[in-house]
């Protein structure tokens, strides 16, 4: 497979997954604010600031806006095209990547993505958002689910499919670390509020942001426990948005691409993904909290970045062509 094609498929899948995760995060937190009435400006900022910090775009946000509140954060993460990670920018980039590889994906996939692109580009999208953020974000999530269903139903299981799978689970693992890290930055009004109504509401919002609320409660029923929630989102072997599950799928996709047996590795990306998977397979939430949850999540994000960079180097990197040298070599061969 051409490196350009692999790169486009990988990023198309990542951008779709990123847009869906952002959409769910914003929807849940807007809904959470409705549960807390009479918040002053300082409390509203304390609610939104951790979300901006966890997004990794804090510096750009404060260059464009004076303070974090419902209006500025939703605008920055949804509509602002100066933010390359906004929902709008992600969908536009996903559609551009899909357009470059139209012959590699099904017509249904491109139509689905193109319809979402046209909706967001139209003036109607702002109108829908102003009439109700829930309807707006629901439509984006619906398109994302349709697109991912079409990937599973209409694509041959070849290298292109594996690069899309790798991109999807890479993005999902990264977003789960960032969603979990939001709680680290959130401040409670008083130390005595730990375990109180506000603390519980924040942990429930975190579960919903990762689409994990129902899956978590099937195991732990009504016990909203920070240790159990962190363990579920980091180490669950079965939940498709836990970090461990995502890394397992990334590792499997890399081995299917190279054809190398899963117990061995043929390049640095496979070595690093196998190493991270082993850490997660034998990790424990107690050790993570002793190390520091924020520090551990930072470590995971760095490891994911290393795997992404190694995969790019192994399959997608194209060394720049020195035309002058090529011409010189060609002339020498003709002499």
């Amino acid at each position: 497979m051409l490196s350009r094609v692999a790169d486009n498929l990988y990023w198309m899948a990542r951008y779709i997954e990123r847009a869906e995760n952002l959409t769910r995060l914003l929807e849940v937190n807007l809904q959470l604010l409705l549960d807390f009435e009479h918040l002053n400006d300082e409390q509203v900022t304390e609610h939104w600031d951790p979300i901006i910090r966890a997004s990794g775009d804090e510096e750009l946000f404060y260059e464009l806006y004076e303070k974090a509140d419902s209006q500025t954060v939703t605008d920055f993460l949804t509509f602002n095209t100066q933010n390359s990670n906004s929902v709008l920018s992600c969908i536009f980039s996903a559609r551009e990547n899909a357009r470059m590889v139209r012959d590699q994906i099904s017509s249904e996939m491109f139509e689905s993505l193109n319809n979402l692109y046209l909706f967001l580009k139209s003036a109607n999208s702002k109108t829908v958002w102003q009439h109700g953020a829930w309807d707006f974000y629901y439509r984006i999530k619906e398109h994302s689910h349709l697109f991912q269903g079409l990937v599973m139903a209409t694509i041959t299981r070849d290298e292109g499919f594996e690069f899309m799978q790798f991109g999807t689970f890479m993005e999902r693992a990264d977003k789960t670390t960032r969603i979990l890290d939001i709680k680290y930055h959130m401040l409670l009004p008083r130390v005595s509020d730990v375990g109180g109504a506000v603390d519980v509401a924040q942990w429930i919002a975190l579960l919903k942001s990762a689409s994990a609320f129902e899956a978590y409660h099937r195991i732990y029923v009504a016990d909203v426990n920070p240790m159990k929630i962190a363990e579920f989102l980091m180490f669950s072997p079965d939940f498709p948005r836990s970090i461990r599950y995502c890394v397992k799928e990334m590792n499997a996709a890399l081995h299917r691409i190279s054809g190398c047996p899963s117990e061995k590795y043929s390049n640095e990306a496979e070595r690093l993904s196998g190493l991270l998977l082993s850490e997660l397979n034998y990790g424990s939430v107690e050790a993570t909290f002793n190390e520091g949850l924020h520090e551990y999540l930072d470590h995971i994000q760095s490891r994911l970045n290393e795997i992404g960079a190694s995969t790019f180097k192994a399959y997608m990197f194209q060394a720049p062509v020195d035309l002058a040298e090529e011409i010189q070599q060609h002339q020498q061969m003709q002499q």
Side-chain angles (χ1 to χ4, degrees):
M1 168 169 280
L2 293 174
S3 58
R4 175 185 60 80
V5 173
D7 192 47
N8 283 323
L9 291 171
Y10 166 74
W11 279 109
M12 177 187 69
R14 283 201 72 165
Y15 282 128
I16 287 285
E17 183 68 26
R18 187 174 299 177
E20 184 194 327
N21 279 276
L22 276 174
T23 296
R24 195 181 313 104
L25 184 64
L26 289 168
E27 179 196 359
V28 168
N29 280 281
L30 284 170
Q31 187 67 38
L32 181 63
L33 277 183
L34 297 177
D35 295 336
F36 298 110
E37 297 180 349
H38 311 303
L39 293 181
N40 57 37
D41 288 349
E42 186 180 350
Q43 289 169 318
V44 170
T45 299
E46 287 175 355
H47 175 83
W48 286 111
D49 193 57
I51 294 168
I52 291 298
R53 287 174 186 272
S55 73
D57 295 314
E58 182 186 6
E59 188 175 335
L60 176 62
F61 176 82
Y62 283 108
E63 284 177 12
L64 299 173
Y65 304 92
E66 290 184 359
K67 62 177 183 178
D69 58 27
S70 301
Q71 182 64 39
T72 56
V73 173
T74 52
D75 182 69
F76 179 71
L77 293 179
T78 306
F79 294 108
N80 198 319
T81 52
Q82 292 184 67
N83 174 16
S84 60
N85 293 315
S86 71
V87 173
L88 206 59
S89 297
C90 286
I91 296 300
F92 287 1
S93 298
R95 193 257 189 187
E96 185 61 19
N97 278 280
R99 193 179 63 79
M100 298 292 285
V101 289
R102 281 198 67 172
D103 59 333
Q104 301 289 324
I105 62 177
S106 66
S107 57
E108 291 91 342
M109 284 170 59
F110 187 78
E111 285 170 15
S112 168
L113 192 50
N114 199 43
N115 286 339
L116 179 56
Y117 166 81
L118 293 175
F119 163 67
L120 291 172
K121 196 179 175 186
S122 71
N124 186 41
S125 65
K126 280 273 187 181
T127 306
V128 173
W129 190 85
Q130 287 163 358
H131 279 83
W134 190 87
D135 286 338
F136 176 83
Y137 292 129
Y138 180 80
R139 190 178 294 198
I140 295 172
K141 281 194 301 178
E142 199 174 42
H143 272 283
S144 173
H145 295 159
L146 173 61
F147 181 85
Q148 295 194 24
L150 288 169
V151 170
M152 300 305 292
T154 63
I155 289 293
T156 305
R157 274 27 178 190
D158 56 10
E159 287 182 351
F161 174 81
E162 300 302 345
F163 276 112
M164 283 188 273
Q165 288 295 98
F166 177 73
T168 297
F169 284 103
M170 166 70 83
E171 185 64 32
R172 194 173 289 180
D174 179 77
K175 280 292 170 290
T176 298
T177 64
R178 293 180 188 279
I179 288 171
L180 197 49
D181 202 30
I182 287 172
K183 190 68 179 91
Y184 167 81
H185 294 291
M186 277 187 165
L187 300 176
L188 289 169
R190 296 174 295 275
V191 175
S192 59
D193 287 325
V194 174
V198 176
D199 194 28
V200 169
Q202 288 177 347
W203 280 108
I204 290 174
L206 189 145
L207 280 171
K208 289 182 176 177
S209 297
S211 277
F213 183 71
E214 289 82 6
Y216 172 84
H217 280 290
R218 276 193 206 100
I219 299 174
Y220 297 108
V221 195
D223 187 11
V224 180
N225 181 301
M227 292 279 279
K228 290 177 180 174
I229 291 173
E231 181 178 34
F232 185 72
L233 290 178
M234 287 192 291
F235 298 116
S236 170
D238 305 313
F239 181 61
R241 292 185 180 277
S242 79
I243 300 168
R244 178 181 173 185
Y245 186 95
C246 291
V247 173
K248 182 181 72 174
E249 292 299 316
M250 287 165 52
N251 187 55
L254 284 173
H255 281 84
R256 287 194 292 267
I257 290 169
S258 68
C260 179
S262 58
E263 67 275 12
K264 298 180 180 178
Y265 64 86
S266 62
N267 56 45
E268 184 66 2
E270 290 175 8
R271 189 186 74 81
L272 291 174
S273 66
L275 200 59
L276 180 56
L277 181 58
S278 295
E279 280 185 29
L280 292 163
N281 282 342
Y282 296 101
S284 73
V285 70
E286 290 80 9
T288 300
F289 272 69
N290 288 336
E291 178 184 337
L293 180 61
H294 175 67
E295 287 73 16
Y296 183 76
L297 294 171
D298 266 355
H299 164 73
I300 295 291
Q301 286 171 15
S302 298
R303 302 295 297 277
L304 291 172
N305 288 338
E306 288 173 3
I307 295 170
S310 298
T311 304
F312 176 79
K313 190 176 179 182
Y315 295 108
M316 304 167 197
F317 175 71
Q318 290 177 298
V321 177
D322 188 336
L323 285 176
E325 186 179 346
E326 279 207 351
I327 292 171
Q328 188 178 9
Q329 287 178 353
H330 185 69
Q331 288 173 339
Q332 287 174 348
M333 290 174 67
Q334 287 183 329
Q335 289 173 356

